[in-house]
Coordinates of all heavy atoms in Angstrom, one line a residue:
M108 N 120.7 79.4 113.4 CA 120.8 80.8 113.1 C 119.4 81.4 113.3 O 118.4 81.0 112.7 CB 121.3 81.0 111.7 CG 121.2 82.4 111.3 SD 121.5 82.7 109.5 CE 120.0 82.0 108.8
A109 N 119.3 82.5 114.0 CA 118.1 83.2 114.2 C 118.2 84.6 113.7 O 119.3 85.1 113.6 CB 117.8 83.3 115.7
V110 N 117.1 85.2 113.3 CA 117.1 86.6 112.9 C 116.5 87.4 114.0 O 115.3 87.1 114.4 CB 116.3 86.7 111.6 CG1 116.2 88.2 111.2 CG2 116.9 85.9 110.5
R111 N 117.2 88.4 114.5 CA 116.7 89.2 115.6 C 116.6 90.6 115.1 O 117.3 91.0 114.1 CB 117.6 89.2 116.8 CG 117.7 87.8 117.4 CD 118.5 87.7 118.7 NE 119.9 88.1 118.5 CZ 120.4 89.2 119.1 NH1 119.6 90.0 119.9 NH2 121.6 89.6 118.9
F112 N 115.8 91.5 115.7 CA 115.5 92.8 115.2 C 115.8 93.9 116.2 O 115.4 93.8 117.4 CB 114.0 92.9 114.9 CG 113.5 92.0 113.8 CD1 113.1 90.7 114.0 CD2 113.6 92.4 112.4 CE1 112.7 89.9 113.0 CE2 113.2 91.6 111.4 CZ 112.8 90.3 111.7
H113 N 116.6 94.8 115.8 CA 116.9 96.0 116.6 C 115.7 96.8 116.7 O 114.9 96.9 115.7 CB 118.1 96.8 116.0 CG 118.6 97.8 116.8 ND1 118.0 99.1 116.9 CD2 119.7 97.9 117.6 CE1 118.7 99.8 117.7 NE2 119.8 99.1 118.2
P114 N 115.4 97.6 117.8 CA 114.2 98.4 117.9 C 114.1 99.4 116.7 O 113.0 99.7 116.2 CB 114.4 99.1 119.2 CG 115.2 98.2 120.0 CD 116.1 97.5 119.1
H115 N 115.3 99.9 116.3 CA 115.3 100.9 115.1 C 114.7 100.2 113.9 O 114.0 100.8 113.1 CB 116.7 101.4 114.9 CG 116.8 102.2 113.6 ND1 116.5 103.5 113.5 CD2 117.2 101.8 112.3 CE1 116.7 103.9 112.3 NE2 117.1 102.9 111.6
A116 N 115.1 98.9 113.7 CA 114.7 98.2 112.5 C 113.1 98.0 112.5 O 112.5 98.1 111.5 CB 115.4 96.9 112.4
L117 N 112.6 97.7 113.7 CA 111.2 97.4 113.8 C 110.4 98.7 113.5 O 109.4 98.7 112.9 CB 110.9 97.0 115.3 CG 111.4 95.6 115.6 CD1 111.2 95.3 117.1 CD2 110.7 94.5 114.7
E118 N 111.0 99.9 114.0 CA 110.3 101.1 113.7 C 110.3 101.4 112.2 O 109.3 101.9 111.6 CB 111.1 102.2 114.5 CG 110.4 103.6 114.4 CD 111.2 104.6 115.2 OE1 111.6 104.3 116.3 OE2 111.4 105.7 114.7
R119 N 111.5 101.2 111.6 CA 111.6 101.5 110.1 C 110.7 100.5 109.3 O 110.1 100.9 108.3 CB 113.0 101.4 109.7 CG 113.9 102.4 110.2 CD 113.5 103.8 109.7 NE 114.2 104.8 110.4 CZ 113.7 105.8 111.1 NH1 112.4 105.9 111.3 NH2 114.4 106.7 111.7
M120 N 110.6 99.3 109.7 CA 109.8 98.3 109.0 C 108.3 98.7 109.0 O 107.6 98.7 108.0 CB 109.9 96.9 109.7 CG 111.2 96.3 109.4 SD 111.6 94.9 110.5 CE 110.2 93.9 110.5
A121 N 107.8 99.2 110.2 CA 106.5 99.6 110.3 C 106.2 100.8 109.4 O 105.1 100.8 108.7 CB 106.1 100.0 111.7
G122 N 107.1 101.7 109.3 CA 106.9 102.9 108.4 C 107.1 102.6 106.9 O 106.6 103.4 106.1
R123 N 107.8 101.6 106.6 CA 108.2 101.3 105.2 C 107.5 100.2 104.6 O 107.7 99.7 103.5 CB 109.7 101.1 105.1 CG 110.5 102.4 105.5 CD 111.9 102.2 105.5 NE 112.6 103.5 105.8 CZ 113.8 103.7 106.2 NH1 114.6 102.6 106.3 NH2 114.3 104.9 106.4
G124 N 106.5 99.6 105.4 CA 105.7 98.5 104.8 C 106.3 97.1 104.7 O 105.9 96.4 103.9
A125 N 107.2 96.8 105.6 CA 107.8 95.4 105.6 C 107.4 94.7 106.9 O 107.3 95.3 107.9 CB 109.3 95.5 105.5
T126 N 107.2 93.4 106.8 CA 106.8 92.6 107.9 C 108.0 91.8 108.4 O 109.0 91.7 107.7 CB 105.7 91.6 107.6 OG1 106.2 90.6 106.6 CG2 104.5 92.3 107.0
E127 N 108.0 91.4 109.6 CA 109.0 90.6 110.2 C 109.3 89.3 109.4 O 110.4 88.9 109.2 CB 108.8 90.2 111.7 CG 108.9 91.4 112.6 CD 108.8 91.0 114.1 OE1 109.1 89.8 114.4 OE2 108.3 91.8 114.9
D128 N 108.2 88.7 108.9 CA 108.3 87.5 108.1 C 109.1 87.8 106.8 O 109.9 87.0 106.3 CB 107.0 86.9 107.8 CG 106.3 86.2 109.0 OD1 107.1 85.9 110.0 OD2 105.1 86.0 109.0
E129 N 108.7 88.9 106.1 CA 109.4 89.2 104.9 C 110.9 89.5 105.1 O 111.7 89.1 104.3 CB 108.8 90.5 104.3 CG 107.4 90.2 103.7 CD 106.6 91.5 103.3 OE1 107.0 92.6 103.9 OE2 105.8 91.4 102.5
V130 N 111.2 90.2 106.2 CA 112.6 90.5 106.4 C 113.4 89.3 106.8 O 114.5 89.1 106.3 CB 112.7 91.6 107.6 CG1 114.2 91.8 108.0 CG2 112.1 92.9 107.1
A131 N 112.8 88.4 107.6 CA 113.5 87.1 107.9 C 113.7 86.3 106.7 O 114.7 85.7 106.5 CB 112.6 86.4 108.9
A132 N 112.7 86.3 105.8 CA 112.9 85.5 104.5 C 114.0 86.1 103.6 O 114.7 85.4 103.0 CB 111.5 85.5 103.7
A133 N 114.1 87.5 103.6 CA 115.1 88.1 102.9 C 116.5 87.7 103.4 O 117.4 87.4 102.7 CB 115.0 89.7 102.9
V134 N 116.6 87.7 104.7 CA 117.9 87.3 105.4 C 118.2 85.9 105.1 O 119.4 85.5 104.8 CB 117.9 87.7 106.9 CG1 119.1 87.1 107.6 CG2 117.8 89.2 107.1
E135 N 117.2 85.0 105.2 CA 117.5 83.6 105.1 C 117.6 83.1 103.7 O 118.3 82.1 103.4 CB 116.4 82.8 105.8 CG 116.4 83.0 107.3 CD 115.1 82.6 108.0 OE1 114.1 82.2 107.3 OE2 115.1 82.6 109.3
Q136 N 116.9 83.8 102.7 CA 116.8 83.2 101.4 C 117.2 84.2 100.3 O 117.2 83.9 99.1 CB 115.4 82.8 101.1 CG 114.9 81.7 102.0 CD 113.4 81.6 102.0 OE1 112.7 82.2 101.2 NE2 112.9 80.7 102.9
G137 N 117.5 85.5 100.7 CA 117.8 86.5 99.7 C 119.2 86.6 99.2 O 120.1 85.8 99.7
E138 N 119.4 87.5 98.3 CA 120.7 87.8 97.8 C 121.6 88.5 98.8 O 121.1 89.5 99.4 CB 120.6 88.6 96.5 CG 121.8 89.1 95.9 CD 121.5 90.1 94.8 OE1 120.4 90.5 94.5 OE2 122.5 90.5 94.1
M139 N 122.8 88.1 99.0 CA 123.7 88.7 100.0 C 124.5 89.8 99.3 O 125.1 89.5 98.2 CB 124.6 87.7 100.6 CG 125.5 88.3 101.7 SD 126.8 87.1 102.3 CE 125.9 86.4 103.6
L140 N 124.6 91.0 99.9 CA 125.4 92.1 99.3 C 126.3 92.6 100.4 O 126.0 92.5 101.6 CB 124.5 93.2 98.9 CG 123.3 92.8 98.0 CD1 122.3 93.9 98.0 CD2 123.8 92.6 96.6
T141 N 127.5 93.2 100.1 CA 128.3 93.8 101.0 C 127.8 95.2 101.2 O 127.3 95.9 100.3 CB 129.8 93.8 100.6 OG1 129.9 94.5 99.4 CG2 130.3 92.4 100.5
A142 N 128.0 95.7 102.5 CA 127.6 97.1 102.8 C 128.7 97.8 103.6 O 129.7 97.2 103.9 CB 126.3 97.0 103.6
K143 N 128.5 99.1 103.8 CA 129.5 99.8 104.5 C 129.7 99.4 106.0 O 128.7 98.8 106.5 CB 129.2 101.3 104.5 CG 129.2 102.0 103.1 CD 128.8 103.4 103.3 CE 128.9 104.1 101.9 NZ 128.6 105.5 102.0
F144 N 130.8 99.8 106.5 CA 131.1 99.6 108.0 C 131.0 98.1 108.4 O 130.6 97.8 109.5 CB 130.1 100.4 108.8 CG 130.0 101.9 108.4 CD1 128.8 102.4 107.9 CD2 131.1 102.7 108.5 CE1 128.7 103.7 107.4 CE2 131.0 104.0 108.0 CZ 129.9 104.5 107.5
G145 N 131.4 97.2 107.5 CA 131.5 95.8 107.9 C 130.1 95.1 108.0 O 130.0 94.0 108.5
R146 N 129.1 95.7 107.5 CA 127.8 95.2 107.5 C 127.5 94.4 106.3 O 128.2 94.5 105.3 CB 126.7 96.3 107.7 CG 126.9 97.0 109.0 CD 126.0 98.1 109.2 NE 126.3 98.7 110.5 CZ 126.0 100.0 110.8 NH1 125.5 100.8 109.9 NH2 126.3 100.5 112.0
V147 N 126.4 93.6 106.3 CA 125.9 92.8 105.2 C 124.5 93.2 104.9 O 123.7 93.6 105.8 CB 126.0 91.3 105.5 CG1 125.5 90.5 104.4 CG2 127.5 90.9 105.9
A148 N 124.1 93.2 103.7 CA 122.7 93.5 103.3 C 122.2 92.2 102.6 O 122.9 91.5 101.9 CB 122.6 94.7 102.4
F149 N 120.9 91.9 102.8 CA 120.2 90.9 102.1 C 119.0 91.5 101.4 O 118.3 92.3 102.0 CB 119.7 89.8 103.1 CG 120.8 89.0 103.7 CD1 121.3 89.3 105.0 CD2 121.3 87.9 103.1 CE1 122.3 88.6 105.5 CE2 122.3 87.1 103.6 CZ 122.9 87.5 104.9
R150 N 118.8 91.1 100.2 CA 117.7 91.7 99.4 C 116.9 90.6 98.7 O 117.5 89.6 98.2 CB 118.3 92.6 98.3 CG 117.3 93.2 97.4 CD 117.9 94.2 96.5 NE 119.1 93.8 95.8 CZ 120.0 94.5 95.3 NH1 120.0 95.8 95.5 NH2 121.0 94.0 94.7
R151 N 115.6 90.7 98.8 CA 114.7 89.8 98.1 C 113.5 90.5 97.6 O 113.0 91.4 98.2 CB 114.3 88.7 99.1 CG 113.4 87.7 98.5 CD 113.2 86.5 99.4 NE 112.2 85.6 98.8 CZ 111.5 84.7 99.4 NH1 111.6 84.5 100.7 NH2 110.7 83.9 98.7
N152 N 113.0 90.1 96.5 CA 111.7 90.6 95.9 C 110.6 89.7 96.3 O 110.7 88.5 96.3 CB 111.8 90.7 94.4 CG 112.9 91.7 93.9 OD1 113.3 92.6 94.6 ND2 113.3 91.6 92.7
F153 N 109.4 90.4 96.5 CA 108.2 89.7 96.9 C 107.1 90.1 95.9 O 107.1 91.3 95.6 CB 107.8 90.0 98.3 CG 108.7 89.5 99.3 CD1 109.8 90.3 99.8 CD2 108.6 88.2 99.9 CE1 110.7 89.9 100.7 CE2 109.5 87.8 100.8 CZ 110.6 88.6 101.3
T154 N 106.2 89.3 95.6 CA 105.0 89.6 94.8 C 104.1 90.5 95.7 O 103.8 90.1 96.9 CB 104.2 88.4 94.4 OG1 105.1 87.6 93.6 CG2 103.0 88.8 93.6
F155 N 103.7 91.7 95.2 CA 103.0 92.6 96.1 C 101.5 92.8 95.5 O 100.6 92.6 96.2 CB 103.7 94.0 96.1 CG 103.1 95.0 97.0 CD1 103.0 94.7 98.4 CD2 102.6 96.2 96.6 CE1 102.4 95.6 99.3 CE2 102.0 97.1 97.4 CZ 101.9 96.8 98.8
N156 N 101.4 93.1 94.2 CA 100.1 93.2 93.5 C 99.1 94.0 94.4 O 98.0 93.4 94.7 CB 99.6 91.9 93.1 CG 100.5 91.3 92.0 OD1 101.1 92.0 91.2 ND2 100.6 90.0 92.0
S157 N 99.5 95.1 94.9 CA 98.6 95.9 95.7 C 98.9 97.4 95.6 O 99.8 97.8 94.9 CB 98.7 95.5 97.2 OG 97.7 96.0 98.0
E158 N 98.1 98.2 96.3 CA 98.3 99.6 96.3 C 99.0 100.1 97.5 O 98.8 99.6 98.6 CB 96.9 100.3 96.2 CG 96.9 101.7 95.8 CD 95.5 102.2 95.6 OE1 94.8 101.8 94.6 OE2 95.1 103.1 96.4
R159 N 99.9 101.1 97.3 CA 100.6 101.7 98.4 C 100.7 103.2 98.1 O 101.1 103.6 97.0 CB 102.0 101.1 98.6 CG 102.8 101.8 99.6 CD 103.8 100.9 100.2 NE 104.7 101.7 101.1 CZ 104.6 101.8 102.4 NH1 103.6 101.3 103.0 NH2 105.5 102.5 103.1
R160 N 100.2 104.0 99.1 CA 100.2 105.4 98.9 C 99.5 105.9 97.6 O 100.1 106.8 96.9 CB 101.6 106.0 99.1 CG 102.2 105.7 100.5 CD 103.5 106.3 100.6 NE 104.0 106.1 102.0 CZ 105.2 106.4 102.4 NH1 106.0 107.0 101.6 NH2 105.5 106.1 103.6
G161 N 98.4 105.2 97.3 CA 97.7 105.7 96.1 C 98.1 105.2 94.8 O 97.6 105.5 93.7
R162 N 99.2 104.3 94.7 CA 99.7 103.8 93.5 C 99.7 102.3 93.6 O 100.0 101.7 94.6 CB 101.1 104.3 93.2 CG 101.1 105.8 92.9 CD 102.4 106.4 92.5 NE 103.0 105.6 91.4 CZ 104.3 105.6 91.0 NH1 105.2 106.2 91.7 NH2 104.7 104.9 90.0
Y163 N 99.6 101.6 92.4 CA 99.6 100.2 92.3 C 101.0 99.7 92.0 O 101.6 100.3 91.1 CB 98.6 99.7 91.3 CG 98.6 98.2 91.1 CD1 97.8 97.4 91.9 CD2 99.4 97.6 90.2 CE1 97.8 96.0 91.8 CE2 99.5 96.2 90.0 CZ 98.7 95.4 90.8 OH 98.7 94.1 90.7
F164 N 101.4 98.7 92.7 CA 102.8 98.1 92.5 C 102.6 96.6 92.4 O 101.9 96.0 93.2 CB 103.7 98.5 93.6 CG 104.0 99.9 93.7 CD1 103.3 100.7 94.6 CD2 104.9 100.6 92.9 CE1 103.5 102.1 94.7 CE2 105.1 101.9 93.0 CZ 104.4 102.7 93.9
G165 N 103.4 95.9 91.6 CA 103.4 94.5 91.4 C 104.4 93.8 92.3 O 104.3 92.6 92.7
T166 N 105.5 94.5 92.6 CA 106.6 93.9 93.4 C 107.0 94.8 94.5 O 107.1 96.0 94.4 CB 107.8 93.7 92.4 OG1 107.4 92.9 91.3 CG2 109.0 93.0 93.1
K167 N 107.4 94.1 95.7 CA 108.0 94.8 96.8 C 109.4 94.2 97.0 O 109.5 93.0 97.1 CB 107.1 94.6 98.1 CG 107.8 95.2 99.3 CD 107.1 95.0 100.6 CE 105.8 94.4 100.7 NZ 105.4 94.3 102.1
Q168 N 110.4 95.1 97.1 CA 111.7 94.6 97.3 C 112.1 95.0 98.8 O 111.9 96.2 99.2 CB 112.7 95.3 96.4 CG 114.1 94.8 96.5 CD 115.0 95.5 95.5 OE1 115.4 96.6 95.7 NE2 115.3 94.7 94.4
V169 N 112.6 94.0 99.5 CA 112.9 94.2 100.9 C 114.4 94.1 101.0 O 115.0 93.0 100.6 CB 112.2 93.3 101.9 CG1 112.7 93.4 103.3 CG2 110.7 93.4 101.8
E170 N 115.1 95.1 101.6 CA 116.6 95.1 101.8 C 116.8 95.3 103.3 O 116.5 96.3 103.8 CB 117.2 96.2 100.9 CG 118.7 96.0 100.7 CD 119.1 97.0 99.7 OE1 118.8 96.8 98.5 OE2 119.9 97.9 100.0
A171 N 117.5 94.3 103.9 CA 117.8 94.3 105.3 C 119.3 94.5 105.5 O 120.1 93.7 104.9 CB 117.3 93.0 106.0
Y172 N 119.7 95.4 106.4 CA 121.1 95.6 106.7 C 121.3 95.0 108.1 O 120.6 95.3 109.0 CB 121.4 97.1 106.7 CG 121.4 97.7 105.3 CD1 120.3 98.0 104.6 CD2 122.6 97.7 104.6 CE1 120.3 98.5 103.3 CE2 122.6 98.2 103.3 CZ 121.5 98.6 102.7 OH 121.5 99.0 101.4
V173 N 122.3 94.1 108.1 CA 122.5 93.3 109.3 C 123.9 93.2 109.7 O 124.8 93.5 108.9 CB 121.9 91.8 109.0 CG1 120.5 91.8 108.6 CG2 122.8 91.1 108.0
V174 N 124.1 92.7 111.0 CA 125.4 92.4 111.5 C 125.3 91.0 112.1 O 124.2 90.6 112.6 CB 126.0 93.4 112.5 CG1 126.3 94.7 111.8 CG2 125.1 93.6 113.7
R175 N 126.4 90.3 112.2 CA 126.5 89.0 112.8 C 126.7 89.2 114.3 O 127.5 89.9 114.8 CB 127.6 88.2 112.2 CG 127.6 86.8 112.6 CD 126.5 86.0 112.0 NE 126.9 85.1 111.1 CZ 126.1 84.1 110.7 NH1 124.9 84.0 111.2 NH2 126.5 83.3 109.8
E176 N 125.8 88.5 115.1 CA 126.0 88.5 116.6 C 126.0 87.1 117.0 O 125.0 86.5 117.1 CB 124.9 89.3 117.3 CG 125.2 90.8 117.3 CD 124.3 91.5 118.4 OE1 123.3 90.9 118.9 OE2 124.7 92.6 118.7
G177 N 127.2 86.5 117.2 CA 127.3 85.1 117.5 C 126.8 84.3 116.3 O 127.3 84.5 115.1
A178 N 125.9 83.4 116.5 CA 125.3 82.6 115.4 C 124.1 83.3 114.8 O 123.5 82.8 113.8 CB 124.9 81.3 115.9
D179 N 123.7 84.5 115.3 CA 122.5 85.1 114.9 C 122.8 86.3 113.9 O 123.9 86.8 113.9 CB 121.7 85.7 116.1 CG 121.2 84.6 117.0 OD1 121.2 83.4 116.6 OD2 120.9 84.9 118.1
W180 N 121.8 86.7 113.2 CA 121.8 88.0 112.4 C 121.0 89.0 113.2 O 119.8 88.7 113.5 CB 121.2 87.8 111.0 CG 122.1 87.0 110.1 CD1 121.8 85.7 109.6 CD2 123.3 87.4 109.5 NE1 122.8 85.3 108.8 CE2 123.7 86.3 108.7 CE3 124.1 88.5 109.6 CZ2 124.9 86.3 107.9 CZ3 125.3 88.5 108.8 CH2 125.6 87.5 108.0
L181 N 121.5 90.2 113.4 CA 120.8 91.3 114.0 C 120.5 92.3 112.9 O 121.4 92.9 112.3 CB 121.6 92.0 115.1 CG 121.0 93.2 115.7 CD1 119.7 92.8 116.5 CD2 122.0 93.9 116.7
V182 N 119.2 92.5 112.6 CA 118.7 93.4 111.6 C 118.8 94.8 112.2 O 118.1 95.1 113.2 CB 117.3 93.1 111.1 CG1 116.8 94.1 110.1 CG2 117.2 91.7 110.6
L183 N 119.5 95.7 111.5 CA 119.7 97.1 112.0 C 118.7 98.0 111.4 O 118.2 98.9 112.1 CB 121.1 97.5 111.7 CG 122.3 96.7 112.4 CD1 123.6 97.2 111.9 CD2 122.2 96.8 113.9
T184 N 118.5 97.9 110.1 CA 117.5 98.7 109.4 C 117.0 98.0 108.2 O 117.6 97.0 107.7 CB 118.1 100.1 109.1 OG1 117.0 101.0 108.8 CG2 119.1 100.1 108.0
V185 N 115.9 98.5 107.7 CA 115.3 97.9 106.5 C 114.8 99.0 105.5 O 114.3 100.0 105.9 CB 114.0 97.1 106.9 CG1 113.3 96.5 105.7 CG2 114.5 95.9 107.9
I186 N 115.0 98.7 104.3 CA 114.6 99.6 103.2 C 113.7 98.8 102.3 O 113.9 97.6 102.0 CB 115.8 100.2 102.4 CG1 116.6 101.0 103.3 CG2 115.3 100.9 101.2 CD1 117.9 101.5 102.7
T187 N 112.6 99.4 101.9 CA 111.7 98.8 100.9 C 111.6 99.6 99.6 O 111.7 100.9 99.7 CB 110.3 98.6 101.5 OG1 109.8 99.9 101.9 CG2 110.3 97.6 102.6
R188 N 111.4 99.0 98.5 CA 111.2 99.6 97.2 C 110.0 98.9 96.6 O 109.9 97.7 96.7 CB 112.4 99.5 96.4 CG 113.6 100.2 96.9 CD 114.9 100.0 96.0 NE 116.0 100.6 96.5 CZ 116.9 100.0 97.4 NH1 116.7 98.8 97.7 NH2 117.9 100.7 97.8
F189 N 109.2 99.7 96.0 CA 108.0 99.2 95.3 C 108.1 99.5 93.8 O 108.4 100.7 93.5 CB 106.7 99.8 95.9 CG 106.5 99.4 97.4 CD1 107.1 100.1 98.4 CD2 105.7 98.3 97.7 CE1 106.9 99.8 99.7 CE2 105.5 98.0 99.0 CZ 106.1 98.7 100.0
F190 N 107.9 98.5 93.0 CA 107.9 98.8 91.6 C 107.0 97.8 90.8 O 106.5 96.9 91.4 CB 109.3 98.8 91.0 CG 110.1 97.6 91.4 CD1 110.2 96.4 90.6 CD2 110.9 97.5 92.6 CE1 111.0 95.3 90.9 CE2 111.6 96.5 92.9 CZ 111.7 95.4 92.1

């Protein structure tokens, strides 16, 4: 099973502070959730302990919305939350 990225997802990841490695880890090891339109979401928390946009956060949550393409997961978009 491979994790592949749609160009839209790569654009969103860059703007939202998520790396390809974090998103792949969320898909491979994160909590699976059901999403709209037959999609699946994977969510995982990462230790952040850094500053983002002028505020300090201890945790970064990465949520990837994916669809199955053959044996692979195609990441469509990514949402991040910092807390």
